Amino acid sequence: MLVLGLQGSPRKKGNTRFLLDRFLEESRNLGVRTITVDTDKRNILPCRELTACERKGFCPIKDDLKDEIYSQIHEADIIVAATPVFFYNMTAQLKALIDRCQVFWARKYRFKLKEPGIAQRRGFLLSVGASSGKQLFEAIELSTRYFFDAVSANYEGSLTYRGMENAGDLAAHPTVDKEVRQAVEKVVKPLTTRRRILFACRENACRSQMAAAFARYLGGDQIDAMSAGSEPAEKVNPLMQAVMADKGIDLAFARTRLLDDAIAAHRPEMIVTMGCGEACPVIPGVKIEDWDIPDPVGQVDSIMTDVRDEIETRVKKLIN
C-alpha cells in the first residue's frame, strides 16, 4: 500500500511541510509505505498544450513526471496534495504537476481506460494560508477535486488552516495533531486491513503485472496487490499493455520492480508465483501458490490474450 504525498511548498521548514510530514508519519505508524514528491526540487515542466495526450494518450515532455512520478501516481492507493496559499490558489510548482496530469484525464475520458486502483484510490487535501479570508481555500479545493477525478481518486476531504503566518505556527496549533490522526484514521486505516499479495514472475513485464492489475481492479477492497520479478526487465511488455487495454484496464504507467525490493516494501501474506525459477522466495509464515501459466513473450498475439484471460479467471477465484 502506498500513500503518495505531493508537496507543493517551496519553503524548507514551512507549515505545509509540517502538515504533510505529520500526515505521512501517522500513515507509516499504521505500517503503510509513503513517498513524498517535493515539487520544488523536481524537474517538472509546465504543460505546453501540445494536445498529444488527447490525441495519442501520452505526454511527450521529458522530465521527472514522465520518468517517475506518473508511475508513482499509478501505483498509489492514496494521494495527498499539500500546498500553501499563493494568491488564493495553490503554488505554481504543484499546479505544474497537476496540469501535466491531463494525460490521466485523456486516457480516462478520451480513451475510456480505467486505472487498476480506481475502486479504492483516495485523495486528500492539506493546505495552509496566512490570511483569514472566508474564501481562502475555495479555488484550491476546486482544482484539487478535478485533479483527483482525473487520476481516479475519490475526494475524501481536507485539512485547512488559516492565519498561519510564520514558520512554526502550525506546530503550535492546539488541535492539529488530533485532526491529522483523525484524518489518517478515516482515509488511510480502512485500507490497511486488506490482504497483502505479491505476484511474482521472472521479468515482471507481463504475467505478474496482469495479475496484480486484475487483483487491484476486481478486488482492491480486499487485496493490497503488488507485482515484481526476480530479473526485472527494463520496461513492461507493450503487447501486454495492449491486451489489458482491450479489457479497459490502463497499464500505461506500470513499471517493473525487483522481487527483493517488493518484499522489503510490501511484506506479503501470500506470494503467487508464475515462473520466477529458483529465485522465487520462500518466506517463513507466508503462503506460496504457484500458477502454472506459460510465458507468452515472443508468442503470437492470441497467446497473450489467452494468458490474460487465464490470469483473470484465476484472480477471480483467488478473490472469492
Side-chain angles (χ1 to χ4, degrees), residues 1-3 24-34 184 188-189 191-194 196 224 264-267:
M1 178 175 171
L2 174 63
V3 177
L24 298 183
E25 180 184 6
E26 290 292 336
S27 298
R28 289 191 294 272
N29 289 341
L30 296 174
V32 173
R33 183 167 56 105
T34 68
V184 171
V188 181
K189 189 174 182 178
L191 295 182
T192 63
T193 61
R194 298 174 300 165
R196 296 187 303 278
D224 182 4
H266 181 85
R267 174 74 179 185

Side-chain angles (χ1 to χ4, degrees), residues 202 230-231 259 275-282:
R202 187 171 64 85
S230 56
E231 301 175 25
L259 195 53
C276 48
E278 295 179 355
C280 284
V282 177

Side-chain angles (χ1 to χ4, degrees), residues 51-71:
T51 70
C53 61
E54 297 193 19
R55 291 181 289 106
K56 300 180 180 180
F58 69 91
C59 179
I61 299 174
K62 295 180 180 180
D63 61 0
D64 288 349
L65 268 170
K66 188 170 185 179
D67 293 340
E68 181 181 3
I69 300 170
Y70 283 154
S71 295

Side-chain angles (χ1 to χ4, degrees), residues 2 27-29 62 99 109-110 120 134 147 149 153 159 172 174 176 198 203 206 210 212 237 249 273 284 287 303:
L2 174 63
S27 298
R28 289 191 294 272
N29 289 341
K62 295 180 180 180
D99 288 346
Y109 290 110
R110 293 278 192 250
Q120 73 278 354
K134 183 178 179 181
F147 164 59
D149 177 75
L159 283 178
V176 64
L198 175 63
E203 292 190 332
C206 192
M210 289 191 283
N237 189 306
I249 300 176
T273 62
K287 181 179 179 181
I303 298 297

